[in-house]
């Protein structure tokens, strides 16, 4: 648990401003004045035994975190007060954005499926005409918020259900509150030794395949254990090739392993691992700028697809498909791509999911893939 008691998180305009800094980073898909890179400079870091709190219930969780209800121990600092009452007492959460993530041209009477059809046709046409090799199309679904669903309870449930993923519940006055359960590493390491992954391609586990890598075993299953389509293999190879080309500008010592099949909830993905030596951590911001957004959440060519997504996607991605995590390049860093996430608003949850489109993508299949990814967060909301 990381808390910044004094002041507010730093608002950064570029990834290079991360050079020489440390804290907890929350970055959007596209940096803007309303959605800056946020750096929480925590002055309190606390370890919490989640498994024990799950067994003992919500009161135990509050005690473990040093948090009390309104009738308990007084919390002195104003920043923590802005967060804790929402988590414990259901009071209004300060959310700086409109509760409607959709852009004005899209009528509210369109169904989610109709909106996706319009976007898919628009995005896919640029693959058919050769403008893009790959582009990622995302969607947002709003689910009503039930009064009894506390954010910290949802966080606990996610930790219990998704042991393979990075689970985080983050609140800042600038971003609002976000919960994520993501399987994708953007960058991790410390000192000279670093690691990233190429994660792409998606299949849903059903029937007998649900036993795949359950319980988790040391050493991931190989590619041959799941029958992958040519489209999924090609999509993952685009990401792996891009990462290697980026890393070669920062390191002369790079090893690649994979691809292999990796499980995340009831989905599997193709994954390749890259380990590399970074001689100068003072350039970490430049490395992050080169990596993000990867083709796993954006497309190829990078800049053209990035601009197209910002202009044409039905909704603003906000902090979805950005990245977040503890950041201390000299010691230990764990940055994850913000996937399988939702923004927690006053009256609803905004759930986000996306999928990579290639020239031979079929709309119904891509829609079903996003539905399967949304299930990661929907399962939390359905838990009693």
């Amino acid at each position: 648990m990381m808390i910044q008691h004094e002041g507010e998180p730093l608002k950064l305009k570029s990834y290079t401003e991360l050079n020489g800094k440390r804290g907890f980073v929350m970055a959007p898909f596209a940096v803007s004045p309303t959605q800056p890179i946020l750096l929480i400079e925590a002055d309190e870091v606390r370890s919490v035994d989640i498994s024990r709190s799950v067994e003992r219930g919500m009161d135990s969780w509050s005690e473990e975190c040093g948090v009390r209800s309104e009738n308990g121990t007084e919390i002195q600092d104003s920043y923590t007060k802005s967060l804790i009452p929402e988590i414990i007492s259901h009071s209004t959460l300060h959310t700086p954005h409109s509760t409607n993530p959709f852009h004005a041209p899209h009528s509210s009477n369109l169904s989610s499926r109709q909106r996706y059809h319009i976007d898919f046709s628009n995005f896919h046409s640029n693959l058919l005409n050769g403008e893009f090799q790959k582009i990622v199309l995302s969607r947002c679904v709003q689910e009503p918020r039930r009064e009894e669903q506390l954010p910290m309870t949802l966080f606990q449930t996610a930790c219990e259900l998704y042991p393979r993923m990075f689970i985080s519940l983050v609140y800042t006055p600038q971003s609002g509150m976000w919960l994520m359960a993501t399987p994708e590493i953007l960058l991790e390491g410390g000192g000279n030794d670093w690691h990233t992954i190429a994660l792409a391609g998606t299949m849903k586990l059903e029937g007998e395949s649900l036993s795949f890598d359950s319980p988790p075993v040391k050493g991931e299953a190989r590619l041959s254990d799941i029958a992958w389509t040519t489209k999924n293999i090609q999509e993952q190879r685009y990401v792996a090739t891009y990462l290697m080309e980026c890393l070669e500008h920062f390191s002369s010592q790079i090893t690649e392993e994979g691809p292999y099949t990796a499980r995340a909830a009831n989905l599997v993905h193709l994954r390749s691992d890259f380990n590399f030596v970074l001689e100068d951590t003072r350039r970490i911001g430049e490395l992050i700028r080169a990596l993000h957004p990867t083709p796993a959440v954006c497309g190829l060519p990078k800049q053209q697809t990035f601009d197209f997504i910002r202009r044409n996607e039905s909704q603003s991605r906000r902090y979805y498909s950005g990245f977040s995590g503890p950041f201390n390049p000299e010691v230990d860093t764990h940055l994850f791509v913000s996937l399988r996430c939702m923004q927690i608003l006053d009256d609803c949850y905004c759930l986000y999911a996306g999928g990579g489109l290639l020239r031979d993508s079929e709309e119904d299949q891509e829609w079903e893939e996003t539905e399967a990814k949304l299930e990661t967060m929907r399962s939390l909301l359905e838990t009693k």
Side-chain angles (χ1 to χ4, degrees):
M1 183 177 185
M2 303 177 70
I3 301 175
Q4 178 177 337
H5 291 282
E6 299 296 330
E8 292 187 353
L10 288 181
K11 304 180 191 72
L12 309 179
K13 298 177 181 178
S14 70
Y15 304 113
T16 55
E17 291 183 60
L18 288 168
N19 290 335
K21 294 184 174 61
R22 62 183 181 179
F24 188 99
V25 178
M26 188 170 185
F29 173 70
V31 179
S32 70
T34 57
Q35 286 150 14
I37 302 164
L38 299 168
L39 183 68
I40 300 172
E41 298 178 298
D43 43 39
E44 181 181 352
V45 179
R46 186 175 302 181
S47 296
V48 178
D49 187 340
I50 295 295
S51 60
R52 189 167 69 137
S53 298
V54 169
E55 290 175 0
R56 293 171 58 192
M58 188 65 196
D59 290 340
S60 171
W61 169 254
S62 302
E63 292 168 8
E64 293 275 355
C65 295
V67 173
R68 297 292 185 272
S69 66
E70 294 178 58
N71 296 324
T73 303
E74 183 179 358
I75 300 168
Q76 298 295 332
D77 63 279
S78 59
Y79 180 71
T80 307
K81 281 183 178 179
S82 71
L83 169 60
I84 299 304
E86 160 60 17
I87 295 175
I88 301 300
S89 306
H90 305 285
S91 65
T92 301
L93 176 65
H94 170 68
T95 304
H97 308 295
S98 163
T99 57
N100 181 12
F102 300 106
H103 299 310
H106 292 272
S107 172
S108 59
N109 61 10
L110 287 176
S111 69
S112 183
R113 186 67 182 87
Q114 289 170 325
R115 190 178 291 113
Y116 186 82
H117 170 72
I118 293 170
D119 281 354
F120 181 91
S121 299
N122 189 15
F123 278 51
H124 195 235
S125 64
N126 286 271
L127 295 164
L128 295 177
N129 66 20
E131 283 289 315
F132 307 144
Q133 295 170 276
K134 173 187 176 178
I135 188 167
V136 175
L137 172 60
S138 74
R139 49 185 286 243
C140 175
V141 175
Q142 292 181 331
E143 300 285 355
R145 184 174 176 184
R146 297 206 308 265
E147 187 70 15
E148 68 273 14
Q149 289 176 319
L150 293 172
M152 289 176 89
T153 303
L154 295 174
F155 172 76
Q156 281 182 285
T157 304
C159 290
E160 186 178 12
L161 291 181
Y162 307 128
R164 298 173 178 85
M165 300 189 194
F166 172 70
I167 314 297
S168 65
L169 176 65
V170 184
Y171 171 79
T172 73
Q174 296 80 16
S175 65
M177 184 175 287
W178 290 76
L179 175 66
M180 68 188 69
T182 176
E184 185 171 353
I185 298 165
L186 177 69
L187 187 63
E188 66 176 8
N192 299 128
D193 299 322
W194 291 83
H195 174 232
T196 187
I197 69 172
L199 192 78
T202 301
M203 289 178 59
K204 185 176 181 180
L205 296 175
E206 298 177 300
E208 292 183 359
S209 66
L210 283 168
S211 63
F212 175 82
D213 193 29
S214 181
V217 295
K218 186 176 181 180
E220 298 286 354
R222 296 296 101 185
L223 176 63
S224 59
D225 293 326
I226 294 286
W228 288 97
T229 65
T230 301
K231 184 262 182 184
N232 278 304
I233 293 171
Q234 183 181 9
E235 183 183 346
Q236 195 270 346
R237 179 40 45 188
Y238 277 140
V239 181
T241 301
Y242 171 85
L243 290 181
M244 179 62 80
E245 291 174 352
C246 285
L247 295 177
E248 287 174 343
H249 292 286
F250 296 88
S251 176
S252 59
Q253 301 179 57
I254 309 168
T255 61
E256 177 182 357
E257 297 182 9
Y260 58 87
T261 303
R263 181 168 181 166
N266 288 338
L267 303 175
V268 286
H269 307 284
L270 283 171
R271 170 173 168 166
S272 297
D273 288 78
F274 296 83
N275 294 290
F276 60 98
V277 173
L278 187 63
E279 298 294 345
D280 186 4
T281 57
R282 292 174 298 179
R283 296 183 62 205
I284 195 74
E286 286 85 345
L287 174 57
I288 292 171
R289 182 177 61 185
L291 293 175
H292 175 73
T294 75
V297 296
C298 185
L300 290 170
K302 177 178 178 176
Q303 192 60 51
Q304 290 91 320
T305 52
F306 178 79
D307 293 339
F308 185 88
I309 288 168
R310 294 192 69 189
R311 290 194 310 266
N312 293 280
E313 214 164 46
S314 288
Q315 73 288 324
S316 168
R317 292 192 181 187
R318 300 176 177 173
Y319 286 85
Y320 163 70
S321 69
F323 61 88
S324 63
F327 180 75
N328 188 347
E330 296 299 326
V331 181
D332 201 19
T333 292
H334 299 275
L335 300 181
F336 287 78
V337 182
S338 302
L339 305 176
R340 320 292 150 78
C341 65
M342 63 181 174
Q343 185 177 17
I344 302 174
L345 299 171
D346 292 338
D347 57 353
C348 70
Y349 304 98
C350 290
L351 283 61
Y352 291 83
L357 308 185
L358 302 183
R359 182 185 179 91
D360 59 351
S361 292
E362 297 182 10
E363 181 180 333
D364 287 344
Q365 292 179 0
E366 298 299 337
W367 167 265
E368 290 301 325
E369 180 177 318
T370 63
E371 283 289 293
K373 290 175 176 176
L374 288 168
E375 199 58 35
T376 301
M377 286 290 113
R378 279 177 172 157
S379 294
L380 303 179
L381 303 181
E382 292 166 359
T383 302
K384 301 297 184 184

